Amino acid sequence: MKKLSKEFEGLIDADKLRAEFSDLTGPLDNNGSSSEIRSQILSRLKICLNDGRKLIEKKLLEDGGGTLCAKRLCYLQDQIIHVIYDFAATHVYRVTNPSTSERMSVVAVGGYGRGTLAPGSDLDLLFVLPYKQTPWGESIVEYILYMLWDMGLKVGHATRSVDECIRLSKSDMTIRTAILESRYLWGDRELFDDLVTRFKSSVVQGSGPEFITAKLTERDERHRNQGASRYLVEPNVKEGKGGLRDLNTLFWISKYFYQVESGDALVKKGVFSRSEHARFKKCEDFLWATRCHMHFLTGRAEERLSFDIQREIALRLSYTSHPGLREVERFMKHYFLIAKDVGDLTRILCAALEVEHIKPAPSLSRFLKALGGQRKIQPIKGHADFIIENQRINIASPDVFKRDPVNLIRIFFLAGNHNLAFHPNAMKRIRRSLGLIDKGIRNDKTANRLFLKILTSRDDPESVLRRMNETGVLGRFVPEFGKVVAMMQFNMYHHYTVDEHLLRSIGVLSEIERGELDEDHPLSTEIIKGIQSRNALYVAVFLHDVAKGRPQDHSIAGARIAKELCPRFGLSPAETGLVSWLIENHLVMSMVAQSRDLNDNKTIQDFAKIVQSPERLKLLLILTVADIKAVGPGVFNGWKGQLLRTLYYETEPVLAGGHSQLSRKQQVSAAQDALIEKLDGWEPENRLAYLDRHYPAYWMRVNPDDQIKHAELIREADQAGKKLATLVRPHEFEAITEITVLAPDHPRLLTTIAGACFIAGANIVDSQIYTTTDGLALDTISVTRAFDKNEDELRRAERITEIIENTLSGRTPMPENVAQKAAKKNNTAVHTFDLETSILVTNAWSDQFTVLEVSGLDRPGLLYDLTSAISNLNLNIASAHIVTFGERAVDVFYVTDLIGHKISSVARQTRIKKTLIEAFDGVEEKTRTAQVSNIRRRKRAG
């Protein structure tokens, strides 16, 4: 601490405070316990703490030192506790002749014990006694704690004798860890030294493997709870994978097993190199700076780096925008690179422990169990540079990479081919040999041939590519991939960084090919067996987002990159052209399936013109499934799968010259036959009559389970003589709730449903709209789930359906309710994301309808505003397709005028655009707020 004393100047003057407080009590007259004096001391300490924190925040903004900021906060807190203890012991509970039991050591534990604090951190204190508690000790502890609590601090505490600390440490790993990182704070130093000495001899000695296993198990469980990936786009800086807690775990293990107090000692022991130790300090400093800024900015112990604070934190850390990357994206890329470094350091330490036979080595494949056992070495046939040591691939000599840099690729090929984990010596040598991967190696035919085999392996290519990425080899060998390593996209749609998404996409593709996803993706699983361009598909999936972060559209830029890389990988000109086409069009099938009317022949014809061949259609479908599924948990759902399959089946006959294994008519007939078999309890004539109540589009789009539920809903409504009925189904896994409404069809039905959801605070994420042949509408909407328990979610959904039914039956005036809800909203809320509203009015997408594509920033009530505006424009909505990509909404409406014609007038199209922009940007919402004020005035006047 002394060598950093200059950095603490001006934070607090403890000696001045002691003198000031002493003057309040007089010359040791023991009246320090009076409430008036205590109030004055408390007030003064609050001011010192507040002023000190303001100065520390100012210094953080000036020098950017994260670790230094944490140490400054710790120093400030130390001095306050020193002063409180001294005042309590000297002026409140002074003992003239203390006995041997009237001694106490105040010890900092937890993060506080490591000498670092964040602004919102808890204070963890241990009051160490020589024997049992005494009235004096109890009084001192109580005084300190109540002063800290009254200052608004969160304090965790325990009071124990040295014997109790040792006894509990042996049985409780949390207490053992706390004492491991304990730090003398104030009071009796001999007590603390006695505790440390006995702890090392009685607890630590000989228990290293037990402690390490417990800490690594605890870390793995924490990672599972936080999302199991260090590349989540809203990471937890403290508890997440690659965060500060992982560095803490390294500290605990190192201190416990190697008996060291600093990273420098680990360098001397050969565990870390000097550059690796420098990475450790760099990671720690960056994470502390980020965490301290988060606490200062939010005014609370905020550990989740959420979207709404990422941009402000980036600015506080002095990040600026570059072409293709905003300041927040540059900051988050740096964050994920740091998280990756933390993972590397963890692996280096664990590898050193494996050499010490403390931690068993895992198998490379996630499908095999951990391997261990006695040391066993065997050669790899045909590859003298490598050996297998205890089922882990290792290098035969230290110079294998320097002698032949292609070995930096070959080792991964062999590991994948033999399903081997990596020996720690090999991993360390790989990381230290990255400089050997230069232009010559990138253009080497053997290296590229081996890489293509790794990428297209029929076993588990994701695992091998992931290890290549973790070591840095992948980014060096394919620099275009290296540019997207740790790159985040500042939106709510993508859950992972770009490189993590690409690797997960390869994993999904491999699982499809191995038949492991046949239940969820039956069509992709079936057609991948017959594709002719397997290598092209794998390369396209690997590169489809590789151009993210560039000024140019990433699909177009990615296609250009593919034309340069594919020949290097050994692909033919035809395969290169195919990969380039797939990347340029990798978003087309998803957008068409989700936002266009698949029952409109023009949609299918236009899509077929883009695709041009059945082979491309197959490859594009599989790529699309892998892409969406790798975006994040729950992003791909059954509804999206059904839309993609429908688009495929509709397009296949067009590309095949009108011939298909399953024609449109056959698909409809097959769906009808399947439903008839499942309509238990129905009379035969009623089953056949029911089939005629739906148009072909219904049978093409709706999955069999939903068809059964719809049939029962309509049947029950018919039997009850009702024209209005609702059905609610919560979907726990997808985190949505489905609401189906059966009602007489009319132009404002969708508006009414959207308004009911707005009033109930429900956000619509998807909508499927169908009309029966006898004039009923069957609309199904999906809203984001609000409750974990299904019974709670059902009650919420029933409230929504009650509002819908009341409005449709005329019992409740919807516009007034929406206006009241809008008036209560906070219109001054600042959106985290800034998206420009875009309106497209086109007659080119359909032969029968004018298509309105509206996109921009999603918000509650948006669909109500849009459908209201469309109705006010005297337009009929034939179909609506509601898509959300995180914070971005893309809503597509197929409309006509009131007599069923397209909107051809340029002036009217211009009016539609203007009206929809106003609706999208909330102008109508402001109008409703004024309306509710008028309503209330009329009621008061009446």
Side-chain angles (χ1 to χ4, degrees):
M1 284 289 196
K2 289 185 179 179
K3 65 180 180 180
L4 295 175
S5 59
K6 286 186 178 180
E7 301 296 344
F8 302 141
E9 288 180 358
L11 295 181
I12 189 172
D13 190 334
D15 290 335
K16 182 179 178 181
L17 282 175
R18 287 188 184 91
E20 183 180 328
F21 294 166
S22 181
D23 289 343
L24 291 174
T25 64
L28 304 179
D29 59 0
N30 268 349
N31 68 350
S33 60
S34 73
S35 60
E36 182 180 350
I37 291 178
R38 184 185 184 282
S39 178
Q40 292 181 49
I41 291 173
L42 179 62
S43 177
R44 184 76 177 90
L45 289 175
K46 284 182 177 180
I47 292 173
C48 289
L49 180 63
N50 187 54
D51 289 348
R53 286 184 171 180
K54 285 182 178 178
L55 180 58
I56 291 170
E57 182 179 12
K58 180 182 177 184
K59 288 178 178 290
L60 175 63
L61 290 167
E62 291 172 351
D63 60 36
T67 305
L68 185 54
C69 176
K71 289 181 176 179
R72 283 169 174 156
L73 287 163
C74 186
Y75 174 82
L76 174 64
Q77 192 61 63
D78 286 356
Q79 299 306 306
I80 288 175
I81 292 176
H82 294 176
V83 171
I84 295 174
Y85 178 93
D86 288 345
F87 184 80
T90 304
H91 296 286
V92 185
Y93 301 106
R94 180 179 178 80
V95 179
T96 305
N97 296 308
S99 65
T100 56
S101 63
E102 289 173 324
R103 300 159 57 208
M104 176 188 297
S105 180
V106 185
V107 179
V109 293
Y112 192 26
R114 293 188 296 274
T116 50
L117 279 178
S121 292
D122 295 357
L123 300 179
D124 293 319
L125 297 175
L126 173 63
F127 299 95
V128 181
L129 308 173
Y131 313 112
K132 64 181 180 180
Q133 180 66 280
T134 65
W136 174 83
E138 187 175 356
S139 298
I140 293 291
V141 170
E142 186 177 282
Y143 189 87
I144 293 173
L145 290 176
Y146 274 97
M147 286 294 284
L148 294 174
W149 286 332
D150 290 345
M151 291 176 68
L153 299 170
K154 293 174 287 185
V155 185
H157 64 95
T159 303
R160 301 187 181 103
S161 67
V162 175
D163 287 341
E164 287 175 320
C165 288
I166 299 304
R167 177 173 54 81
L168 292 172
S169 293
K170 291 179 179 179
S171 60
D172 190 311
M173 199 60 68
T174 301
I175 294 175
R176 189 186 305 189
T177 305
I179 295 178
L180 172 70
E181 55 184 359
S182 60
R183 175 175 61 92
Y184 170 74
L185 192 54
W186 210 236
D188 193 308
R189 181 67 192 238
E190 289 183 6
L191 267 178
F192 175 76
D193 291 340
D194 182 38
L195 171 64
V196 171
T197 301
R198 290 184 57 188
F199 179 75
K200 288 181 179 179
S201 61
S202 301
V203 180
V204 175
Q205 192 69 33
S207 63
E210 175 197 8
F211 181 81
I212 291 169
T213 299
K215 288 291 111 180
L216 293 179
T217 300
E218 177 186 291
R219 179 204 62 179
D220 293 342
E221 180 61 28
R222 173 168 47 81
H223 287 170
R224 280 191 291 272
N225 293 337
Q226 292 296 325
S229 173
R230 69 174 55 88
Y231 304 114
L232 293 169
V233 292
E234 289 187 297
N236 187 305
V237 176
K238 179 183 177 184
E239 302 288 350
K241 196 170 186 179
L244 277 167
R245 188 66 80 199
D246 280 1
L247 289 180
N248 296 345
T249 301
L250 293 183
F251 170 81
W252 295 331
I253 291 175
S254 303
K255 187 173 183 178
Y256 201 98
F257 182 75
Y258 292 103
Q259 295 291 294
V260 298
E261 298 293 333
S262 67
D264 292 320
L266 287 176
V267 175
K268 292 179 182 178
K269 287 182 175 288
V271 178
F272 287 149
S273 66
R274 292 199 176 277
S275 63
E276 289 161 351
H277 178 231
R279 285 168 70 193
F280 184 100
K281 294 172 70 175
K282 177 184 176 183
C283 292
E284 185 179 43
D285 190 67
F286 176 85
L287 291 172
W288 268 116
T290 301
R291 188 182 181 208
C292 287
H293 275 303
M294 289 166 63
H295 286 204
F296 279 130
L297 176 65
T298 62
R300 62 181 185 275
E302 179 59 68
E303 310 297 355
R304 181 166 164 262
L305 190 50
S306 56
F307 287 124
D308 57 341
I309 63 173
Q310 286 178 7
R311 180 179 279 121
E312 182 61 33
I313 298 297
L315 295 174
R316 279 172 161 254
L317 290 168
S318 302
Y319 286 87
T320 56
S321 297
H322 281 195
L325 281 179
R326 289 173 285 182
E327 71 286 332
V328 64
E329 291 170 330
R330 291 189 64 231
F331 158 58
M332 290 305 296
K333 178 172 183 176
H334 190 187
Y335 177 91
F336 290 118
L337 287 172
I338 291 293
K340 181 176 181 295
D341 282 344
V342 173
D344 290 344
L345 292 168
T346 302
R347 280 185 289 274
I348 290 169
L349 178 62
C350 289
L353 294 172
E354 287 176 24
V355 173
E356 302 269 1
H357 303 291
I358 300 301
K359 176 180 177 291
S363 169
L364 174 66
S365 174
R366 61 179 181 271
F367 299 111
L368 295 185
K369 296 181 179 179
L371 295 172
Q374 296 181 347
R375 190 168 186 263
K376 181 181 179 182
I377 296 178
Q378 62 188 96
I380 298 179
K381 187 177 180 180
H383 299 280
D385 287 337
F386 303 100
I387 58 174
I388 299 175
E389 183 174 336
N390 286 354
Q391 293 300 310
R392 296 177 295 184
I393 191 168
N394 199 0
I395 52 178
S397 62
D399 65 341
V400 295
F401 299 129
K402 188 174 183 180
R403 233 179 336 99
D404 183 5
V406 174
N407 278 333
L408 284 164
I409 308 300
R410 185 175 286 113
I411 189 173
F412 290 97
F413 166 73
L414 292 173
N417 207 33
H418 295 275
N419 198 23
L420 298 170
F422 287 84
H423 192 280
N425 289 341
M427 295 298 284
K428 185 178 292 187
R429 187 63 61 179
I430 289 170
R431 290 189 181 94
R432 294 176 181 178
S433 304
L434 292 178
L436 298 173
I437 302 177
D438 55 15
K439 186 176 180 180
I441 299 303
R442 294 185 195 109
N443 291 323
D444 184 272
K445 289 185 177 180
T446 300
N448 281 284
R449 176 177 53 80
L450 291 172
F451 176 71
L452 186 62
K453 287 185 176 181
I454 292 170
L455 176 60
T456 61
S457 168
R458 294 184 182 275
D459 295 320
D460 186 14
E462 180 189 3
S463 292
V464 183
L465 290 170
R466 191 173 293 282
R467 297 308 292 270
M468 290 184 76
N469 193 36
E470 289 168 351
T471 56
V473 170
L474 187 56
R476 295 278 299 193
F477 187 68
V478 187
E480 294 81 359
F481 185 91
K483 291 180 181 180
V484 298
V485 168
M487 179 185 290
M488 70 90 70
Q489 300 165 73
F490 189 59
N491 60 58
M492 294 173 63
Y493 181 63
H494 292 90
H495 294 227
Y496 307 109
T497 56
V498 178
D499 59 324
E500 177 72 2
H501 167 69
L502 290 174
L503 295 180
R504 285 174 180 259
S505 298
I506 289 291
V508 174
L509 175 59
S510 180
E511 288 173 342
I512 291 173
E513 186 173 34
R514 294 196 300 267
E516 296 171 11
L517 301 178
D518 57 328
E519 290 188 7
D520 295 330
H521 308 287
L523 179 58
S524 296
T525 302
E526 180 61 31
I527 64 176
I528 199 171
K529 300 173 184 176
I531 61 172
Q532 305 298 314
S533 309
R534 183 177 178 275
N535 284 358
L537 176 59
Y538 271 85
V539 174
V541 171
F542 175 65
L543 296 176
H544 74 270
D545 276 349
V546 79
K548 285 286 181 74
R550 301 177 185 235
Q552 189 181 14
D553 178 271
H554 80 280
S555 298
I556 297 173
R560 186 181 65 250
I561 291 171
K563 290 178 181 178
E564 299 169 359
L565 279 177
C566 288
R568 196 192 108 184
F569 292 160
L571 270 62
S572 67
E575 289 175 317
T576 298
L578 180 56
V579 172
S580 178
W581 180 88
L582 284 169
I583 293 174
E584 185 171 352
N585 294 280
H586 75 273
L587 297 176
V588 172
M589 192 168 194
S590 174
M591 286 302 299
V592 171
Q594 295 184 67
S595 65
R596 299 281 289 277
D597 189 343
L598 303 184
N599 195 43
D600 192 309
N601 187 57
K602 187 71 161 57
T603 299
I604 307 304
Q605 293 293 335
D606 289 347
F607 179 65
K609 287 178 183 177
I610 296 173
V611 177
Q612 295 184 348
S613 77
E615 177 73 2
R616 281 185 175 184
L617 179 63
K618 294 176 183 178
L619 297 176
L620 190 57
L621 172 70
I622 299 168
L623 188 157
T624 302
V625 170
D627 185 13
I628 299 176
K629 196 169 180 66
V631 165
V635 174
F636 195 104
N637 54 37
W639 175 68
K640 290 178 182 176
Q642 182 66 30
L643 290 177
L644 288 171
R645 286 191 293 273
T646 298
L647 178 57
Y648 178 90
Y649 284 130
E650 288 288 286
T651 309
E652 184 194 31
V654 178
L655 296 175
H659 299 286
S660 172
Q661 293 180 347
L662 200 61
S663 69
R664 175 187 176 88
K665 185 176 180 180
Q666 289 173 322
Q667 291 175 58
V668 171
S669 179
Q672 292 175 336
D673 291 343
L675 179 63
I676 285 178
E677 292 181 4
K678 296 177 181 178
L679 294 180
D680 297 329
W682 286 52
E683 296 296 330
E685 62 272 16
N686 291 338
R687 297 185 191 186
L688 294 174
Y690 177 77
L691 301 181
D692 293 333
R693 296 181 72 170
H694 292 291
Y695 294 102
Y698 175 86
W699 303 107
M700 296 287 291
R701 295 183 194 172
V702 181
N703 66 60
D705 290 340
D706 287 341
Q707 290 175 9
I708 295 171
K709 290 179 172 60
H710 292 168
E712 296 298 339
L713 175 68
I714 293 174
R715 184 193 188 196
E716 290 173 7
D718 288 345
Q719 291 176 344
K722 296 166 55 177
K723 291 293 186 180
L724 176 60
T726 55
L727 173 67
V728 173
R729 286 188 297 157
H731 295 269
E732 189 171 353
F733 180 77
E734 293 86 356
I736 62 169
T737 294
E738 250 183 25
I739 300 173
T740 300
V741 179
L742 176 71
D745 191 25
H746 67 84
R748 289 188 176 270
L749 178 60
L750 183 58
T751 301
T752 301
I753 295 173
C757 291
F758 177 67
I759 291 170
N763 185 40
I764 297 176
V765 292
D766 283 321
S767 175
Q768 301 176 64
I769 299 173
Y770 303 102
T771 303
T772 65
T773 56
D774 54 346
L776 294 177
L778 189 65
D779 294 358
T780 298
I781 58 167
S782 297
V783 298
T784 50
R785 192 180 177 98
F787 298 99
D788 292 332
K789 294 183 178 179
N790 279 344
E791 52 266 31
D792 295 331
E793 185 65 16
L794 282 170
R795 282 193 292 271
R796 169 181 176 251
E798 286 167 1
R799 178 174 171 248
I800 298 172
T801 59
E802 182 181 357
I803 296 171
I804 293 172
E805 293 181 3
N806 286 341
T807 305
L808 291 176
S809 62
R811 292 191 293 269
T812 303
M814 175 62 71
E816 180 177 339
N817 280 345
V818 174
Q820 290 172 347
K821 179 73 175 180
K824 294 178 182 178
K825 288 184 62 179
N826 181 8
N827 292 320
T828 62
V830 178
H831 289 294
T832 301
F833 301 96
D834 184 18
L835 295 177
E836 183 179 355
T837 301
S838 172
I839 310 292
L840 173 66
V841 180
T842 178
N843 286 317
W845 290 3
S846 173
D847 292 329
Q848 296 175 281
F849 305 102
T850 295
V851 182
L852 313 179
E853 183 184 69
V854 190
S855 65
L857 189 65
D858 192 21
R859 60 175 172 80
L862 175 61
L863 185 57
Y864 176 83
D865 286 344
L866 292 176
T867 54
S868 293
I870 291 171
S871 295
N872 292 338
L873 287 165
N874 294 321
L875 300 175
N876 281 327
I877 300 175
S879 66
H881 309 273
I882 315 302
V883 188
T884 54
F885 301 95
E887 76 285 354
R888 183 166 68 97
V890 180
D891 298 347
V892 177
F893 305 92
Y894 282 67
V895 302
T896 65
D897 61 20
L898 295 180
I899 58 175
H901 293 164
K902 283 186 174 185
I903 314 303
S904 56
S905 166
V906 175
R908 194 171 183 191
Q909 289 183 5
T910 302
R911 184 186 166 206
I912 290 171
K913 289 181 181 179
K914 181 176 182 297
T915 302
L916 291 181
I917 287 177
E918 291 176 349
F920 207 114
D921 294 342
V923 175
E924 288 204 355
E925 188 176 325
K926 296 175 183 177
T927 302
R928 285 199 305 271
T929 302
Q931 289 174 347
V932 76
S933 298
N934 292 332
I935 291 169
R936 288 171 178 166
R937 278 197 298 269
R938 288 197 299 270
K939 286 182 177 179
R940 286 196 297 270

